[in-house]
Amino acid sequence: MANTLRKPNAFDLSSLMRQSNSLECLDGLRQAIHGDPLSLMGMASTLFAQSHSGAVLEQDGKMRAIARMIHWQEEDFAQLQFISAEDPANTNLNAIIEALLKDVGEWGLTRVMGDMPVNSPYLSAFRKSNFILWASYKAYTFPLQDLGTAKESQWRTWTSQDFDGMKSVYQTLVASRVRNYEPMTRSKVLGKVLADEKGKILAYVDLDMGTKGLWAQVFMLFEACKTEVLEDLLRQLFAEYGRPVTISARSYQAWLRTPLEELGGQAWEERALLVKHLALRSPSPETVEEALFDNAKAKSGAFSMKTQK
């Protein structure tokens, strides 16, 4: 039986829709804010990506597996989108993964990232292709609801003056070895900060938004983690964005999970966060400028952060 690799075509999409039960989404964030990869909103959200790549594995003219990857504008890595196979355990998934990685090199990128359930039948294939599991997360989705209006919220929109405090929280929580994979902020939407009565930043929330919902990546010190504090955050996000909210609780912030469960969020399966390096980056430091605060009243409209790559 001959196995061949080729690029996807329009007929593959219809076949894939009939086999959607075998499809594994590899980008939980965009699934939360745009919907499943094959949904109308999910497909529409990829139209303006910088680059797309896909691969199909055929056996005797029949599609055995398909995978897709995207390079989003302003990102310095390729993002896995989905993979599907009729029989993952008996399919050469590494061939299709390696075909995608070849395109990453042609795009001039050195990293590929993705996530999937820790019990996914596809995880072992990515591990065999030298993807590293650098952390995991459990997300909680809260449908849009009226939680009332608080007289005064503990959360406020961040400004550039909050940078030092946010950086302190970030460096306390995120190990230096994974900071290249877990940025301090993805800079998509102005986020929120939580401070004590003396002005010390105790938590911040990085946000991303789509037509389906809002993604909230919480960075919160243990001493600030209380059910009522997270409920106050949900109240503010519902009122401001009018969308369902998905809060991600990383494995290195396990204390977030109990209060999120107490609030009744719909819990996702634990998902593994994966990264693959195609080449070594220069060890010299570089300055990363992020224009985060275009709408904030502050002396400066940007964060400047030196990171050791």
Side-chain angles (χ1 to χ4, degrees), residues 155-158 190-194 203-205 207 233 237 240:
W155 297 87
R156 60 173 173 78
T157 301
W158 66 31
L190 290 176
K192 302 290 183 183
V193 292
L194 174 75
Y204 71 94
V205 184
L207 301 175
L233 173 64
L237 296 178
E240 188 168 340

Side-chain angles (χ1 to χ4, degrees), residues 80-152:
L80 296 167
Q81 189 186 21
F82 66 77
I83 189 169
S84 178
E86 289 186 4
D87 186 5
N90 296 301
T91 302
N92 185 6
L93 296 175
N94 294 98
I96 203 167
I97 293 172
E98 293 301 323
L100 293 179
L101 296 178
K102 181 180 178 181
D103 286 341
V104 176
E106 294 176 356
W107 293 347
L109 302 174
T110 60
R111 273 188 298 148
V112 185
M113 301 187 72
D115 58 274
M116 68 185 71
V118 295
N119 61 355
S120 170
Y122 300 98
L123 181 57
S124 61
F126 283 92
R127 297 297 299 271
K128 288 178 182 177
S129 291
N130 295 320
F131 277 76
I132 299 167
L133 197 163
W134 58 270
S136 65
Y137 74 91
K138 196 168 186 177
Y140 298 81
T141 298
F142 297 86
L144 181 62
Q145 54 192 293
D146 184 3
L147 296 178
T149 304
K151 292 182 179 179
E152 185 176 352

